[in-house]
Amino acid sequence: MDYIRHKVPPVREDRLAACGAYGGTCCELSEDAKKGCLYTAKRSFSQTQGCQLNLSLAMISTLRDAVMVIHSPIGCGGNLIQNAGIGKVFQQLRQKSAAGLRWINTNLSEFDVISGGEAKLRQAVLKAEREFQPEAILVFNSCVPALIGDDVDGILDQLQSQVNARIVPIHCEGFKTKIQATAYDSVYHGLIRNLVGLDADKKPQPERTAEEEAAYRERIAKTINLLNVGSMSRLDEEELVRLLRALGLHVRILPSYAHPDDFSHAHEAALNVSICATHDDYFAEHLERLYGIPYVLRTIPIGIANTNKWLRDIAAFFGIEEEAERLIAAETAELNEALAPFRAQFKGKTAFIAGGEVRILTTGELLHDLGMEILGLRGYHFDKYGALLLDEYLEDVPGSEDRVFNVGAGQVFEQANLLSKIKPDLFVGHIGVNGTAAKQGYPIFPLFGQSNVYFGYKGAYEVGSRVSRILRNHSFNRNLERHTRLPYRDSWYEQDPFTYIDNPGATAVRSN
Amino acid sequence: MSTYTGSSGGQVFTGRVIERPRYVCALGGAIGTIQSLPRAISILHSSSGCGGNLAGALSGASGYNGGNYCGGHALPSSNVSERDIVFGGEGRLSEQIENTLKVMDGDLYIVVTGCMVEMIGDDVHAVAKRFKGGELPVVAAETVSFKGNSYYGYDIVLETLFKDYVERAPVQDPSTVNLWGIVPMQDVFWKGNLEALKKLLDKLGFRVNTFFGQGETLDNLKHSARSSLNIVVSDCYGIAPARQFEKIHGVPFITVPLPIGDHGTARFLRQVGGALGVASEVIEALIAEEQAVYYSYLERLADVYNDLDFQRYATVVGDANYAQALTRFLADDIGWLPELVIITDVLNGEQEAKVIASFGDYESGLQPEIVYETDASAIEGHINRHWPAPGEGKYGNGFTPGYIVGSAMDRDTAERLKVPLLPVTYPISNRVVLHRAYAGYAGGLTLAEDLLSLVVAHR
């Protein structure tokens, strides 16, 4: 893959044939995915979702010492308003002096739609430089300037000579894709083109003696880029760093909550380690192509089985398999003992999981390992990385073949219908889809959170511990179920949940 | 700098870039407005991300309002994409409306639009008309986001409802009035505030439709042309719809500032009561009754206010509705010195003049400096200019003892200046708001509790 020479990356429908609408069983999805034509699926009734602009912001508005410029009418990036306060708190977990989330909206008006928004883009970038003197200015392009034909790259090229900050254009126009995860490619595209490896341009390389140079090379040979995601916590990072350090590795954490300078050195690493292929394949593959850095991309370290797989993949690269096995044996022995009470409590309980393809499949494996039966899964989208993990899931979680798998970003009407039929003991959901499940009375465990540990061995314990706590009393949600209602007709619950999915590439829907 | 007057005639939408805006687009304002009506369902005709982009602004930034009955990820949306942009999105919208009526359980369906469908020229009114005469009402509002912000979206939805949903009434009922101008979500305490004002006017003997408040029904809205007066509790928001209401239904309107505490609320009752022809003895009797209760609570603070010297310099930061209400309360009710007022809205000349006028006539004699500023990072500079920080010498005062009544967006400023901040204006992400209200007499007591609790928080 090499798209970096292009100004704009391709969308995921084209690059990965990603699917955004599906209803069937795990087994059927596994088969249909291999035929590769699920990306044509659509809905004749749909609910709102997110776009790649707001996921781009969720991912990289976390960047420290940076200002976000959103080139759009005033509403785009609206979710930032609720994150302004907490963003600073999370940044300061990485750097005490961090300034927090700052952004400027170009506030395009009807006048600009007629006469072009370029002047305002210039104003906004110069204002960001003048007011904040940040290390980087990230410019997010939206639907309207794309349609009116603003020459965003041309203007930003000109502006770069006028400001000290490094300008990073991010082409994340919402209307171009229904697969929100295209955002990750759009952000990485901008970062690779404008931040990665650019250190030499700006600062002279330190002069090293032969000895120092050898030590430096040795350090790089043991350094990995740990690619984090906006939905993980500082505690998650600490847990993964703990495990990697135990294997003698140095860790640089990118891209969320990083500092722009961290990217300057991103090419000085032996290995890129992803915790989520949905998030990182574009970055990892391009860094391999551009800088010869190999990568590990298979799974996310959630639950014992997948944490073990993740560590083994990394250890195999460095030839430290024995050390890894010793670590895994010690960690799992201690953890299994600690998990015993949860396994007793969860035996015979059932769960339904909704969220990103990588997280739901591995969380499913974890809850199954803790004694639960997984009744169904809902993924935001589905692509070849999900397909690989789904096949591993079918092996790791026996009896899942006939369990339901629904693909849809949001689309909570389908979820409500499914839950009314499946009735799990526990619902596990992504932010945005939990409130609706709450009004159906289920105990809910959020699929991620920025204040808890979820990854690695400590994460497996904490997930067990929190689920155990949540299952003890879900009166709040039960009261909601009794006294509120969801905005669907009673007749909707009598229908097939996938009534409004039109998926010519799937056997599953046809046979329903 | 460009200036554009919105098609509603009320809102001016100037073209400044804004650092950390305190509102979203017209579509966001429209969704927030519709989801606050009982059993009303928005149908978004927009890109797939618009609703998701705005969900946080309408919930987490608004005291965790949630989606009400139908908001957040439940919002039906045509999710137009590149293909529709090329070929037009009307077919997709028609299909979406048809299926929304089958799946979503509502009593009123309102199509609202995002930027892209406006740019490709979809005629949403024509599509909505195909559903006219059906069992369920479907109306359409063009809430084009590059034409205005949240407040404009609120205005457009009200105009649409008054034009296409409210039924013509042959006679007016002199004891029924409508009241609006408090914008759901942009006023984080909207529901409590509407209820507080409704209760007050109830005491004067009027039935009040607030459309969005507790206990309201769509029937009240549908029959609102039977009312004898429209009371717009704002100098800026909801005025264009009031003009439209008058034109179509012949019901006159008055505008009146949002009242908080004794001084604001007494003025409110006199102005509204006067417009409704209530005898001044009746109005004064009610004010006296409310004052007796109000001051029976405030008198509890007689010792502590004076023992601990509770008086503060204050900066008020927020929208045009709250800025004047908070300033009058701080100055005239609790004797503070709110000398600097920062209005974060983008207003036109006519609105600015009305807003400035609402800051006059203080019993305390206060004459606050009023600044229009949309950028969050500029607030600190205004405070430092108004109260210059002490220099190197031994003597000097600065903004001490200071207090900011603003929003969550002003936290950095307050932390740097080391003064307390009570978030009252949008956005508020660091408080959970359910039925709390600041309007009226009772609201003034609540505000006094919240303000002064921060002063004693470390004790």
Side-chain angles (χ1 to χ4, degrees), chain B residues 106-419:
Chain B
D107 293 332
L108 171 61
Y109 298 80
I110 306 173
V111 178
V112 287
T113 59
C115 300
M116 295 311 270
V117 302
E118 169 77 7
M119 294 182 71
I120 60 179
D122 279 4
D123 186 347
V124 292
H125 295 291
V127 177
K129 240 180 216 139
R130 291 179 211 159
F131 296 86
K132 206 174 173 178
E135 211 172 302
L136 298 159
V138 179
V139 300
E142 285 175 72
T143 52
V144 184
S145 296
F146 52 76
K147 289 190 184 176
N149 63 17
S150 303
Y151 298 111
Y152 176 74
Y154 171 78
D155 277 9
I156 292 289
V157 168
L158 285 184
E159 285 181 34
T160 301
L161 292 170
F162 296 161
K163 182 162 68 72
D164 296 333
Y165 187 68
V166 172
E167 289 180 356
R168 309 291 185 274
V171 284
Q172 263 76 43
D173 170 10
S175 64
T176 303
V177 298
N178 303 317
L179 181 147
W180 69 79
I182 289 172
V183 181
M185 253 53 85
Q186 284 298 126
D187 180 343
V188 180
F189 305 89
W190 59 277
K191 201 157 191 173
N193 285 346
L194 286 171
E195 197 172 359
L197 298 181
K198 182 178 177 132
K199 271 187 190 160
L200 272 177
L201 296 184
D202 181 64
K203 289 181 182 171
L204 280 183
F206 291 88
R207 236 187 67 80
V208 185
N209 296 317
T210 65
F211 309 148
F212 305 99
Q214 197 55 53
E216 294 291 327
T217 64
L218 284 178
D219 271 348
N220 291 348
L221 171 61
K222 193 189 271 179
H223 301 303
S224 57
R226 294 178 192 167
S227 299
S228 56
L229 183 69
N230 289 325
I231 300 161
V232 184
V233 188
S234 178
D235 287 320
C236 304
Y237 325 130
I239 292 171
R243 289 198 182 109
Q244 170 127 345
F245 202 114
E246 184 167 32
K247 200 169 122 198
I248 298 173
H249 303 287
V251 179
F253 72 95
I254 59 165
T255 66
V256 54
L258 176 71
I260 295 178
D262 174 29
H263 288 79
T265 311
R267 291 163 69 96
F268 173 86
L269 286 172
R270 287 183 187 119
Q271 192 186 339
V272 174
L276 286 166
V278 181
S280 68
E281 307 88 73
V282 176
I283 298 169
E284 295 307 321
L286 175 60
I287 291 170
E289 184 190 319
E290 294 285 331
Q291 281 173 332
V293 175
Y294 186 71
Y295 289 103
S296 78
Y297 282 103
L298 281 185
E299 81 170 321
R300 295 185 190 182
L301 301 175
D303 282 311
V304 70
Y305 183 106
N306 297 293
D307 289 346
L308 300 181
D309 184 8
F310 270 178
Q311 191 183 52
R312 296 289 181 268
Y313 294 102
T315 298
V316 173
V317 187
D319 61 82
N321 271 13
Y322 266 115
Q324 60 76 29
L326 290 165
T327 306
R328 189 173 299 279
F329 172 82
L330 294 176
D332 284 1
D333 275 33
I334 65 164
W336 283 16
L337 296 162
E339 292 174 356
L340 177 61
V341 179
I342 294 166
I343 296 174
T344 50
D345 288 336
V346 179
L347 303 177
N348 64 25
E350 183 196 349
Q351 289 170 323
E352 272 189 26
K354 279 190 83 173
V355 168
I356 298 282
S358 71
F359 284 90
D361 205 8
Y362 283 92
E363 198 174 280
S364 56
L366 181 91
Q367 289 181 313
E369 178 192 353
I370 295 161
V371 174
Y372 287 91
E373 179 58 70
T374 54
D375 295 350
S377 68
I379 307 263
E380 190 177 345
H382 291 298
I383 295 175
N384 286 330
R385 180 181 44 70
H386 189 93
W387 288 280
E392 294 298 304
K394 213 183 289 176
Y395 301 106
N397 197 49
F399 184 42
T400 306
Y403 202 115
I404 299 176
V405 185
S407 75
M409 210 78 100
D410 305 304
R411 207 163 81 187
D412 288 352
T413 306
E415 280 173 7
R416 271 194 297 270
L417 295 171
K418 298 191 174 60
V419 297

Side-chain angles (χ1 to χ4, degrees), chain A residues 46 48 79 105 110 120 127 489, chain B residues 4 15 18 56 75 77 375:
Chain A
S46 52
T48 191
N79 279 336
N105 186 294
E110 191 166 35
K120 277 199 183 151
K127 186 185 186 93
R489 298 191 183 285
Chain B
Y4 172 77
I18 297 180
L75 292 168
S77 173
D375 295 350

